Amino acid sequence: MFGRSKSWVSGSGRSGSSVHSLDRLKYMYHVLTKNTTVTDLNRNLLVETIRSITEILIWGDQNDSSVFDFFLEKNMFVFFLNILRQKSGRYVCGQLLQTLNMLFENINHETSLYYLLSNNHVNSIIVHKFDFSDEEIMGYYICFLKTLSVKLNSHTVHFFYNEHTNDFALYTEAIKFFNHPEHMVRVAVRNITLNIYKVNNQPMLHYIRDKTAVPYFSNLVWFIGIHVIELDKCVQTDEEHKNRGSLSNLVSQHLDHLNYLNDILIINCEFLNDVLTDHLLNRLLLPLYVYSLVNQDQPTDRPRITPQVSLYLLSQVFLTIHYAPLVNSLADVILNGDLSMFSSKPEHHVQRSTEESNIRCFIKPQESLEKSLEINRQKGTKKIQKRPNYKNVGEEEEEDKVPDGQEDPDKAKSTESGLKGIKASAETEEIEMVIMERSKAAEKSLSMVKEENTTDEEKSAAAAGAITSAIRPFLDMVYSTLECSDDDYYTLFVLCLLYAMSHNNGIEPAKLENIQLSLHPAKENRTYNHVLVERLIRIMNQAAHPDGKVRLAPLELACILLKQLVLIDGDCIIKDVHLACLEGAREESVHLLRHFYKGEEIFLDMFEDEYRSMMSKPLNVEYLMMDESILLPPTGTPLTGIDFVKRLPCGDVERTRRAIRVFFMLRSLSLQLRKEPETQLPLTREEDLIKTDDVLDLNNSDLIACTVITKEGDQVQRFLAVDIYQMSLVEPDSKRLGWGVVKFAGLLQDMQVTGVEDDSRALNITIHKPASTPHSKPYPILQATFIFSDHIRCIIAKQRLAKGRIQARRMKMQRIAALLDLPVQPSKEVVGFGHSSSSAAQHLPFRFYEQSRRVGSDQAVQRSVFASVDKVPGFAVAQCINQHSASPASSPSPPSSGSSSGSTGPCDSVTTSLTSTPSTVQSPSVRSGRKGRRRVFSLSEADSHGGHWV
């Protein structure tokens, strides 16, 4: 940025002096004194001079303190102000703001900062009337204010806040842009205010409370409410999901508002929090959000939003804000409040207008923020306002408002004396917070819950309240919406609201225990809300129905809430009748999945994909409530781009996926409530699989030597081993005879094998990594060409891999059938993978890996990994097994000479064609047979005979 400054300086005739020095600053001062008036001719010169001065000041901050001494001595900031006050155009103003921002951003020493902030010149720049219609000027200005707010602390605050004149330009000028149309400007304003609120200076904070809090927070709340009403209109007019872009923008803006409000509250400035809480509750959350939950059919003058939008936004409030006074009052209204709080009037406001006497109403502030700030600024320094709350918003403005040209000095004096009297009594009062009056019926219900001699059913009924009555209309709406009779549109929002309230740390557990929703109930209260549990189980029953219109997201949320209600400190307190109903829902899900069960390969892939997806990505309610798509009516088409769990299924494939996911959820819930471990899922357990670098006992195992050429062109010598569920590439272990080190292992079911047209000895093998989601593209973890010694070994390897894939999938399908209580048909034995009746009865997947890891266990306990797998017929070496020692159940098929389908002739028909492998690839054991005999060589004998693994 300072490149032009250097080139300009080098051409000034003073190239002998350093660019960064006190002398150069003196020269720049001389230039400023000669160009006090901005013209078209010297405009560029002045801009370059200001840049050079900034660069020298930044250098002086780190190297030479005399630079700032000279800057302060000559009062060079005055030149900057003179340039601004002249109508020099956007170019000069923009460059000046930019360089000032860089200057304050790069100053580190407090002394240098004090020099710059002295003489109040910075405040003069802040209040200067720039042309904010220019976006560039606006951007430079707001960045300048933000940089200054970062430098604000208990020591520098006195340069910005003048306690004697009650003037705080940095704050008051910044908040005027709180509702600027540009999002980045609004974000900068919020950062400025937060930086100011964090400064622990009581006079400044009292000034903010007394002079600016009520106007700022009232206008801010109104601004948020207008956005909410706009969001609601967008939802009502976008039933066909055609305007999701603007809806997403409005939802993100509401989240920004809530996060900003929460940031203010967690600063924990008590008197600011009191004012903000009053305005939020009584000017926005209660009159607009909560009031819109009921009586939608009755005409009213109050602004309203639709119930689904109200529930959605309330859920966001409880998920974001945890300030106890706010969330406790809001939760108390929802759980125990009635409509009387929106119509009663305070006694001392009887003579006021009807609009102002409403305790809780969403109304526009009487004056704009800028006008309110100007009125407060002109009131003088001695007068102290009454501490504001929601009842005196706008009251002071009315009392002090004087028509232009009609000022009455006597009246002003009497008004001032009256305000002083009010102030004397107000100083001893606490700010009046929202006190939610509970009706007698609600108190009676609470006493019933706490009464010890009542039954669990009576306690639950008391917690639920009189569902059909209007004593607690907001809670009544929550329970009635959980019926989920037609669809789950409103049910999803109610579930999210209950979840958000139960997980809000600011809400007192006693309030949630009224409806028995607390996460940590008292030890003596070991009951749960029967009415709520029954409605949750009803949602699960409807989800398991073939024609059910319950989406996966509300179903998973219902399962979470049910576990939260009945699992307390690890103990399940659910009653048998409710557990039986839940088991009935689980059985319904089993019957539903049976309808979609098919013996096709795609079903197995969907089954495992859905399980992986459910376990790797559990429902996150906070993320769910950031998604604008759930605000629109449920749709069944994937063309909208909505996630599958948030919409209805489309077509048989998606209905199958939904049935699988419902089965998983209800099965998992049932097992957790019955405290039974999951022993059958997943079908593929990671701990049971062979992994890279495992050392396996390969004695008496069938191996095929091959050269693996990767996609990148690398060549390695490996031995191919095929197991029940996996294929492995191993190399001999140099430290232990008969053992091999696994260099790659992949599932047979995810493998594709194809031949190479111009080479009968080669196979193209691809193994895909299981997809994390059903829509994600499979990622190949192995993509290579396998070259064997001859075409016979190539055919054998292809058959073993193909048949292994079929058998692996068939065994998993049988396990799924067992999960669904379907009769398992004895499948036709895949040649080479048959089991004896005893081994089949005892077969458990991957059972033979448990004792074959790299751990230094006793070798006597070790057993062959692949010996438990029957040898593939046609594998020449397998025919060399001693006919006298082979058992009938595990012996291969009788050899047939010249067979090309997998059976080969005597072993010497293949072993005579063996060639030695490179000496770098050594084998722990060698099988060689001649004329029906088998001999196992040691490692040294294998090298001397030129032998190798087949």
Side-chain angles (χ1 to χ4, degrees):
M1 170 165 285
F2 298 105
R4 285 183 290 176
S5 173
K6 296 179 182 179
S7 63
W8 172 77
V9 171
S10 63
S12 63
R14 298 178 58 89
S15 58
S17 60
S18 174
V19 175
H20 301 144
S21 65
L22 178 60
D23 291 336
R24 183 48 54 94
L25 180 62
K26 292 179 179 180
Y27 177 75
M28 297 302 169
Y29 171 71
H30 178 72
V31 173
L32 287 179
T33 56
K34 296 298 183 181
N35 296 272
T36 55
T37 303
V38 181
T39 64
D40 293 338
L41 297 177
N42 66 359
R43 184 177 63 174
N44 293 331
L45 173 64
L46 286 173
V47 168
E48 295 296 335
T49 302
I50 294 173
R51 287 177 177 175
S52 299
I53 293 174
T54 302
E55 184 179 1
I56 295 171
L57 289 176
I58 295 173
W59 171 84
D61 174 60
Q62 303 172 1
N63 300 279
D64 187 359
S65 60
S66 62
V67 168
F68 273 91
D69 293 336
F70 181 80
F71 184 84
L72 184 63
E73 177 187 349
K74 297 301 181 180
N75 202 10
M76 295 179 68
F77 235 126
V78 175
F79 292 95
F80 296 170
L81 287 174
N82 290 335
I83 293 173
L84 280 179
R85 287 165 182 166
Q86 301 177 41
K87 295 183 179 181
S88 52
R90 60 183 296 271
Y91 174 70
V92 176
C93 289
Q95 294 300 325
L96 181 60
L97 287 173
Q98 186 180 22
T99 53
L100 287 176
N101 181 55
M102 290 182 57
L103 176 61
F104 282 96
E105 192 172 8
N106 290 279
I107 292 298
N108 297 321
H109 290 81
E110 288 189 355
T111 305
S112 303
L113 184 62
Y114 296 161
Y115 281 163
L116 293 175
L117 295 176
S118 59
N119 296 327
N120 207 38
H121 294 317
V122 173
N123 287 325
S124 300
I125 295 176
I126 292 174
V127 299
H128 180 75
K129 300 299 181 182
F130 292 95
D131 181 15
F132 294 121
S133 61
D134 189 326
E135 294 182 0
E136 188 175 357
I137 297 294
M138 180 74 247
Y140 289 145
Y141 179 76
I142 206 67
C143 286
F144 176 56
L145 297 188
K146 183 179 177 181
T147 301
L148 292 176
S149 69
V150 173
K151 300 294 182 180
L152 199 65
N153 54 48
S154 57
H155 301 292
T156 60
V157 66
H158 304 289
F159 292 106
F160 298 98
Y161 169 61
N162 191 329
E163 188 174 352
H164 300 288
T165 61
N166 262 349
D167 188 20
F168 194 6
L170 176 62
Y171 178 70
T172 56
E173 294 299 320
I175 61 177
K176 293 178 182 178
F177 302 101
F178 80 100
N179 59 351
H180 194 274
E182 181 60 40
H183 174 71
M184 296 306 296
V185 174
R186 296 199 303 269
V187 171
V189 170
R190 293 171 182 177
N191 288 331
I192 293 170
T193 58
L194 292 175
N195 291 333
I196 292 173
Y197 296 153
K198 292 176 183 178
V199 178
N200 187 17
N201 183 273
Q202 293 302 314
M204 179 202 70
L205 294 176
H206 281 287
Y207 165 81
I208 292 175
R209 179 200 65 187
D210 297 332
K211 296 293 184 180
T212 67
V214 171
Y216 177 52
F217 290 146
S218 60
N219 280 273
L220 177 63
V221 165
W222 172 256
F223 178 69
I224 296 174
I226 293 300
H227 271 289
V228 169
I229 294 175
E230 186 180 355
L231 186 152
D232 180 68
K233 291 180 180 178
C234 187
V235 172
Q236 296 183 51
T237 57
D238 192 27
E239 295 183 357
E240 298 183 357
H241 299 254
K242 293 182 178 180
N243 198 21
R244 282 181 55 194
S246 59
L247 181 59
S248 175
N249 184 40
L250 292 170
V251 169
S252 63
Q253 286 184 25
H254 185 261
L255 286 171
D256 289 342
H257 297 321
L258 293 181
N259 285 307
Y260 172 56
L261 297 172
N262 185 59
D263 289 339
I264 297 176
L265 294 171
I266 62 178
I267 293 175
N268 204 22
C269 182
E270 183 178 356
F271 42 79
L272 280 182
N273 287 1
D274 292 343
V275 179
L276 178 58
T277 300
D278 277 343
H279 280 82
L280 276 177
L281 282 173
N282 301 288
R283 297 299 180 187
L284 179 67
L285 298 180
L286 296 181
L288 186 61
Y289 290 23
V290 177
Y291 185 77
S292 301
L293 293 176
V294 295
N295 294 337
Q296 288 289 324
D297 299 332
Q298 298 180 5
T300 179
D301 296 334
R302 290 175 174 267
R304 273 182 176 173
I305 55 178
T306 53
Q308 66 269 27
V309 174
S310 175
L311 290 168
Y312 179 84
L313 299 182
L314 283 172
S315 300
Q316 288 187 340
V317 170
F318 284 111
L319 287 172
T320 306
I321 300 177
H322 295 259
Y323 183 63
L326 175 63
V327 294
N328 272 308
S329 300
L330 184 58
D332 194 40
V333 172
I334 296 175
L335 300 179
N336 302 305
D338 55 28
L339 294 175
S340 62
M341 65 182 63
F342 297 101
S343 57
S344 60
K345 302 176 182 179
E347 297 179 357
H348 55 284
H349 284 273
V350 174
Q351 297 180 355
R352 298 185 64 182
S353 64
T354 303
E355 180 180 88
E356 295 177 356
S357 62
N358 288 335
I359 294 182
R360 300 170 184 91
C361 187
F362 177 65
I363 57 174
K364 184 177 181 180
Q366 295 179 352
E367 295 170 344
S368 65
L369 175 60
E370 189 169 357
K371 188 174 181 181
S372 298
L373 294 175
E374 183 64 23
I375 292 175
N376 287 337
R377 191 181 67 82
Q378 295 176 357
K379 286 181 180 179
T381 60
K382 299 297 183 182
K383 184 173 59 177
I384 300 178
Q385 293 176 297
K386 182 174 71 172
R387 299 180 72 181
N389 54 46
Y390 66 89
K391 294 181 181 179
N392 62 18
V393 173
E395 184 177 358
E396 193 171 11
E397 288 83 345
E398 286 186 354
E399 295 173 355
D400 296 334
K401 190 174 181 179
V402 179
D404 296 338
Q406 299 182 11
E407 185 176 355
D408 189 348
D410 296 335
K411 185 177 180 180
K413 291 181 180 178
S414 62
T415 303
E416 183 175 354
S417 61
L419 288 174
K420 288 181 179 179
I422 294 175
K423 177 251 180 184
S425 60
E427 283 181 343
T428 60
E429 294 180 355
E430 295 290 337
I431 293 181
E432 183 176 352
M433 294 299 295
V434 182
I435 301 176
M436 307 303 174
E437 297 182 356
R438 297 180 180 177
S439 63
K440 294 181 180 180
E443 294 177 354
K444 183 177 180 180
S445 298
L446 180 60
S447 63
M448 290 175 62
V449 173
K450 294 184 177 180
E451 193 171 349
E452 295 181 356
N453 59 355
T454 55
T455 63
D456 292 342
E457 289 76 8
E458 290 172 338
K459 290 180 180 179
S460 179
I467 303 301
T468 58
S469 67
I471 296 177
R472 293 186 284 182
F474 309 118
L475 185 61
D476 177 24
M477 185 267 183
V478 170
Y479 278 106
S480 60
T481 306
L482 286 176
E483 290 291 342
C484 193
S485 56
D486 298 328
D487 54 42
D488 65 347
Y489 184 30
Y490 294 93
T491 304
L492 174 60
F493 303 121
V494 172
L495 293 173
C496 291
L497 178 62
L498 294 175
Y499 177 90
M501 292 175 65
S502 63
H503 285 76
N504 191 297
N505 298 327
I507 300 179
E508 298 175 359
K511 294 187 180 298
L512 296 178
E513 285 183 7
N514 294 346
I515 61 170
Q516 297 170 319
L517 193 63
S518 176
L519 285 176
H520 304 288
K523 293 183 178 180
E524 62 274 7
N525 186 15
R526 305 289 288 184
T527 60
Y528 59 88
N529 192 329
H530 294 180
V531 178
L532 184 56
V533 167
E534 290 170 3
R535 280 164 170 74
L536 294 177
I537 295 177
R538 194 171 302 166
I539 293 173
M540 300 172 192
N541 269 308
Q542 293 182 356
H545 196 272
D547 298 328
K549 294 184 178 180
V550 178
R551 293 167 289 177
L552 294 176
L555 173 61
E556 188 170 356
L557 196 51
C559 293
I560 294 173
L561 287 173
L562 182 61
K563 287 188 291 185
Q564 176 182 314
L565 288 170
V566 301
L567 288 178
I568 300 177
D569 297 330
D571 297 330
C572 181
I573 61 173
I574 191 170
K575 293 185 176 297
D576 292 339
V577 60
H578 292 148
L579 183 59
C581 294
L582 178 62
E583 288 296 317
R586 186 190 64 80
E587 288 294 331
E588 287 292 331
S589 70
V590 173
H591 289 296
L592 177 64
L593 188 54
R594 286 178 186 173
H595 177 71
F596 294 100
Y597 177 83
K598 299 176 182 179
E600 303 172 0
E601 291 187 354
I602 189 175
F603 182 83
L604 174 61
D605 293 332
M606 283 193 295
F607 192 89
E608 294 197 306
D609 287 344
E610 290 301 320
Y611 185 83
R612 279 191 298 267
S613 178
M614 186 184 74
M615 299 304 294
S616 63
K617 296 182 179 179
L619 181 67
N620 188 314
V621 181
E622 292 187 10
Y623 289 158
L624 177 66
M625 298 310 294
M626 295 178 185
D627 190 351
E628 76 286 348
S629 63
I630 64 174
L631 275 171
L632 303 176
T635 179
T637 171
L639 298 178
T640 56
I642 300 175
D643 190 17
F644 177 63
V645 299
K646 303 170 189 174
R647 59 175 175 84
L648 298 172
C650 176
D652 289 338
V653 173
E654 288 194 345
R655 280 191 283 269
T656 304
R657 290 177 53 200
R658 178 185 179 276
I660 293 172
R661 187 72 72 94
V662 172
F663 167 76
F664 285 148
M665 291 182 190
L666 297 184
R667 174 183 170 83
S668 175
L669 177 62
S670 176
L671 289 176
Q672 291 184 50
L673 297 186
R674 289 187 280 120
K675 294 186 177 180
E676 297 180 4
E678 176 61 81
T679 58
Q680 295 177 277
L681 291 174
L683 300 179
T684 302
R685 295 180 180 274
E686 289 294 330
E687 60 271 18
D688 295 330
L689 294 178
I690 293 178
K691 298 178 177 62
T692 305
D693 295 331
D694 282 353
V695 179
L696 306 177
D697 183 1
L698 301 175
N699 287 299
N700 301 321
S701 300
D702 293 332
L703 306 168
I704 307 178
C706 61
T707 301
V708 181
I709 304 177
T710 62
K711 188 178 181 182
E712 292 76 16
D714 300 331
Q715 295 188 19
V716 289
Q717 297 292 329
R718 294 288 183 262
F719 291 91
L720 174 65
V722 181
D723 190 36
I724 293 182
Y725 288 105
Q726 288 178 283
M727 61 85 69
S728 305
L729 295 176
V730 299
E731 68 176 12
D733 187 1
S734 59
K735 298 180 181 180
R736 191 180 300 179
L737 294 177
W739 291 69
V741 181
V742 178
K743 294 302 180 182
F744 175 82
L747 292 175
L748 289 169
Q749 71 179 61
D750 299 322
M751 180 180 58
Q752 296 176 355
V753 182
T754 57
V756 179
E757 294 182 358
D758 55 349
D759 191 350
S760 61
R761 301 179 301 123
L763 293 176
N764 288 327
I765 298 180
T766 303
I767 298 180
H768 293 95
K769 181 180 180 181
S772 58
T773 61
H775 295 291
S776 60
K777 186 177 181 180
Y779 175 76
I781 57 177
L782 176 67
Q783 197 169 7
T785 300
F786 286 49
I787 301 178
F788 300 91
S789 300
D790 51 50
H791 72 282
I792 297 178
R793 287 179 176 79
C794 180
I795 293 174
I796 294 171
K798 184 176 182 179
Q799 289 179 343
R800 289 208 73 184
L801 293 173
K803 294 172 183 177
R805 181 179 185 276
I806 295 173
Q807 182 68 8
R809 286 181 166 271
R810 184 172 297 172
M811 291 175 64
K812 286 193 173 183
M813 290 299 296
Q814 290 177 355
R815 295 178 62 188
I816 296 175
L819 278 172
L820 302 180
D821 298 329
L822 292 173
V824 179
Q825 299 294 336
S827 60
K828 295 182 180 180
E829 179 180 326
V830 178
V831 180
F833 285 82
H835 294 274
S836 63
S837 58
S838 60
S839 64
Q842 298 176 357
H843 173 67
L844 290 175
F846 321 118
R847 61 183 174 82
F848 35 77
Y849 298 145
E850 295 176 356
Q851 297 178 347
S852 59
R853 296 299 183 190
R854 187 190 295 275
V855 295
S857 56
D858 187 4
Q859 294 187 9
V861 184
Q862 301 288 350
R863 55 195 175 93
S864 174
V865 174
F866 299 101
S868 61
V869 183
D870 293 328
K871 307 298 184 291
V872 177
F875 194 1
V877 177
Q879 305 302 324
C880 303
I881 300 176
N882 195 326
Q883 299 294 333
H884 301 285
S885 60
S887 63
S890 61
S891 62
S893 302
S896 60
S897 167
S899 173
S900 61
S901 62
S903 295
T904 62
C907 60
D908 54 356
S909 64
V910 175
T911 54
T912 54
S913 64
L914 296 180
T915 59
S916 61
T917 59
S919 59
T920 55
V921 182
Q922 298 176 343
S923 61
S925 64
V926 177
R927 282 185 210 188
S928 177
R930 190 177 300 274
K931 296 183 179 180
R933 294 183 301 169
R934 186 185 71 166
R935 182 181 180 187
V936 179
F937 293 103
S938 67
L939 184 63
S940 59
E941 290 175 327
D943 291 338
S944 62
H945 287 78
H948 65 290
W949 289 351
V950 178

